[in-house]
Amino acid sequence: GYPLPETPASRPGLRWPEARAAVVEVVTPLLADPDTAHAADELHRLLAPLGVQARAVRNVVSGLPLDNEADARALGRRLTRTGTSAPAVAVGLALLGRLGGPEDIPYLDTLSLFRDLTYPALHALTAVDRPAAGLAWLRQYTRAESLHPLIDALTARDDRATRAWLLTHPLDPRTVG
């Protein structure tokens, strides 16, 4: 995967209860803001100094109550499509993991390519489309070079190429876990 530019390091001394409380305090009032552009800008501005990693942000936001699902979904979509920091995009991923639909799959799949967002994106994608999440997981975590053509055929949903590869390449039982 690719690292995101300027990924913040965790703030030293910030323990989980403090980090969780800070994320809740920042995110909760913005979830119901009908002005998603304003809410997204505020999330970028307020989350950055906290230094909380994307995975932790996703974990917190995935459990927050949502008073207005339509506004929360719109914010999630804005953040996953235009977000510029891992913590802010993680808010969007958490929201789409709860409220996303088929139109979000290409964005979630693409975001899974970024090292800092792989886990949060795969988690959201699993909730929206389990087979697509499985293919994205294979693409990200298959290290055997010999399997890359198979993974490419699978992710392209090219059944003929997948079948041809499987029939022409014997697999050792240790090749695929």
Side-chain angles (χ1 to χ4, degrees):
Y2 301 100
L4 290 172
E6 301 179 30
T7 301
S10 294
R11 199 167 80 189
L14 193 62
R15 294 194 170 106
W16 172 243
E18 297 163 335
R20 184 183 190 296
V23 171
V24 168
E25 183 179 332
V26 166
V27 174
T28 300
L30 296 169
L31 289 177
D33 189 338
D35 183 353
T36 58
H38 172 262
D41 289 345
E42 285 298 293
L43 283 169
H44 280 93
R45 185 178 69 77
L46 297 171
L47 285 173
L50 297 179
V52 179
Q53 297 298 311
R55 189 171 180 170
V57 170
R58 191 213 58 87
N59 289 340
V60 173
V61 175
S62 65
L64 292 178
L66 302 175
D67 294 333
N68 186 324
E69 289 186 357
D71 287 342
R73 182 182 302 107
L75 177 59
R77 287 182 173 151
R78 177 174 288 275
L79 289 167
T80 56
R81 287 155 173 78
T82 64
T84 58
S85 72
V89 173
V91 171
L93 291 170
L95 295 172
L96 293 184
R98 294 167 71 180
L99 307 167
E103 62 271 32
D104 301 311
I105 294 169
Y107 298 96
L108 299 174
D109 184 57
T110 300
L111 289 170
S112 75
L113 296 172
F114 291 96
R115 189 176 303 128
D116 299 332
L117 297 173
T118 298
Y119 176 80
L122 288 175
H123 193 279
L125 194 53
T126 298
V128 175
D129 183 341
R130 204 169 189 78
L135 293 174
W137 186 93
L138 281 172
R139 183 188 60 229
Q140 287 301 101
Y141 292 111
T142 300
R143 299 291 175 235
E145 289 287 325
S146 62
L147 292 177
H148 285 190
L150 173 62
I151 303 305
D152 292 343
L154 286 169
T155 55
R157 310 249 177 164
D158 185 343
D159 293 341
R160 286 187 181 162
T162 301
R163 180 173 162 68
W165 192 97
L166 287 169
L167 292 174
T168 59
H169 291 81
L171 292 177
D172 181 309
R174 295 172 289 162
T175 303
V176 180

